Amino acid sequence: MVTYPFIWRHKQFLFRFRLGFLLLCVIFVCLFSGLGVWQLHRYHFKAALIKDYHEMATAPVVPFTATTLKEFQHVEARGTYVNNATLLVQNRVYKDQLGFEVLTPLQIAGDTRFLLIDRGWVKTPDEAQDVVTGEQQVVGIIKYQNEYQFILGKNIMFPDKHPLVIQKIDIKDISRATKMPFYPFVVRMDEDVANGFVREWTISAVDPKRHLGYAVQWFLMAIVLVIAFFSFSISRAGDAELR
């Protein structure tokens, strides 16, 4: 430990320099500051995402083609459902109830890829077993799966089970399991379209303002740690300590 005497406002103090304590504080200050910056990034990302959603979702509906692949584009597609390839996304919550999100491939005439239609939420797998025949007119919003989702274990635990149950929407996993080529997004079906289930779509599970609040908390923790470092390192010095 190294000490440095100094005078401030006509009072004598000692600064005790402890290398280990300094390094520990520097590490945590950098960590807290980095987490704060990351939360600020999430805030700006989510705010821009919601802004884009409202702008695109309120735009006129356009026919689905290979050129209408923008995030949140409001599209209309016609095709037939591949009912035996319906998938269920588990652990989806609606009004504090666990359930499943129902995804059914739509086969568009003359298209080599399938369009994955998100038909909404059901409480039990049995509710998703209805067979929809004939040509369907589906109107909905294009949604890319561009947010990281943490899962335990494999995404598809039982690839031979039907309907296929998955933990998250991963288009590559789904294509491998079903041996069907898909567009790299889903279409979230509008609430007034037939042959769907509960549909109260949210763009982000976390409000952007919460990320801003988290950022402020992390920055405050970094500031408090800096203040604590100087508080523990500086003390009043007596005449004996200065001699």
Side-chain angles (χ1 to χ4, degrees):
M1 180 179 68
V2 181
T3 59
Y4 297 95
F6 66 95
I7 297 175
W8 184 63
R9 290 188 176 182
H10 308 293
K11 296 179 181 179
Q12 298 170 324
F13 295 88
L14 279 179
F15 180 83
R16 294 178 173 84
F17 183 80
R18 302 176 179 89
L19 181 60
F21 184 44
L22 174 63
L23 291 176
L24 186 65
C25 289
V26 168
I27 289 171
F28 278 98
V29 167
C30 291
L31 176 63
F32 295 157
S33 300
L35 289 170
V37 171
W38 179 71
Q39 288 291 349
L40 278 180
H41 171 75
R42 299 302 297 165
Y43 164 73
H44 290 296
F45 172 78
K46 294 284 183 68
L49 197 69
I50 292 173
K51 180 176 179 292
D52 290 344
Y53 168 75
H54 287 298
E55 288 179 355
M56 296 292 288
T58 55
V61 178
V62 298
F64 179 80
T65 66
T67 59
T68 57
L69 305 179
K70 295 180 180 179
E71 179 94 57
F72 307 132
Q73 181 74 56
H74 207 174
V75 297
E76 174 191 350
R78 292 178 179 270
T80 55
Y81 282 130
V82 185
N83 294 283
N84 60 1
T86 291
L87 306 103
L88 301 177
V89 189
Q90 66 180 6
N91 298 326
R92 295 303 168 110
V93 180
Y94 173 71
K95 292 186 176 179
D96 299 324
Q97 295 185 87
L98 275 179
F100 302 84
E101 209 164 319
V102 183
L103 307 176
T104 304
L106 185 74
Q107 187 170 24
I108 302 172
D111 201 330
T112 58
R113 287 188 287 182
F114 294 85
L115 190 59
L116 202 56
I117 307 298
D118 193 334
R119 299 167 62 196
W121 181 92
V122 294
K123 186 175 182 180
T124 65
D126 292 339
E127 298 176 45
Q129 297 308 306
D130 63 320
V131 175
V132 183
T133 59
E135 185 180 61
Q136 302 297 310
Q137 178 182 357
V138 178
V139 179
I141 302 293
I142 289 177
K143 180 68 173 70
Y144 284 86
Q145 306 305 304
N146 50 10
E147 289 194 44
Y148 174 76
Q149 292 176 280
F150 174 77
I151 60 173
L152 293 173
K154 295 181 180 179
N155 185 30
I156 305 175
M157 299 298 294
F158 305 101
D160 298 327
K161 181 181 178 180
H162 293 285
L164 205 62
V165 178
I166 60 179
Q167 294 194 67
K168 67 175 182 177
I169 302 174
D170 187 313
I171 302 298
K172 292 181 179 179
D173 276 354
I174 295 171
S175 293
R176 282 193 294 266
T178 60
K179 297 180 174 58
M180 299 167 65
F182 287 96
Y183 283 95
F185 50 78
V186 301
V187 171
R188 287 181 168 180
M189 183 188 285
D190 281 1
E191 295 182 15
D192 57 350
V193 177
N195 299 313
F197 304 100
V198 177
R199 286 155 285 172
E200 292 186 8
W201 304 119
T202 58
I203 296 305
S204 174
V206 180
D207 189 290
K209 292 180 181 178
R210 287 179 62 183
H211 288 292
L212 190 59
Y214 295 150
V216 171
Q217 290 177 10
W218 286 119
F219 288 133
L220 284 176
M221 289 176 67
I223 293 172
V224 167
L225 189 56
V226 171
I227 293 173
F229 169 76
F230 283 102
S231 297
F232 282 109
S233 300
I234 297 174
S235 60
R236 289 285 300 272
D239 292 339
E241 292 177 287
L242 291 174
R243 281 198 294 267

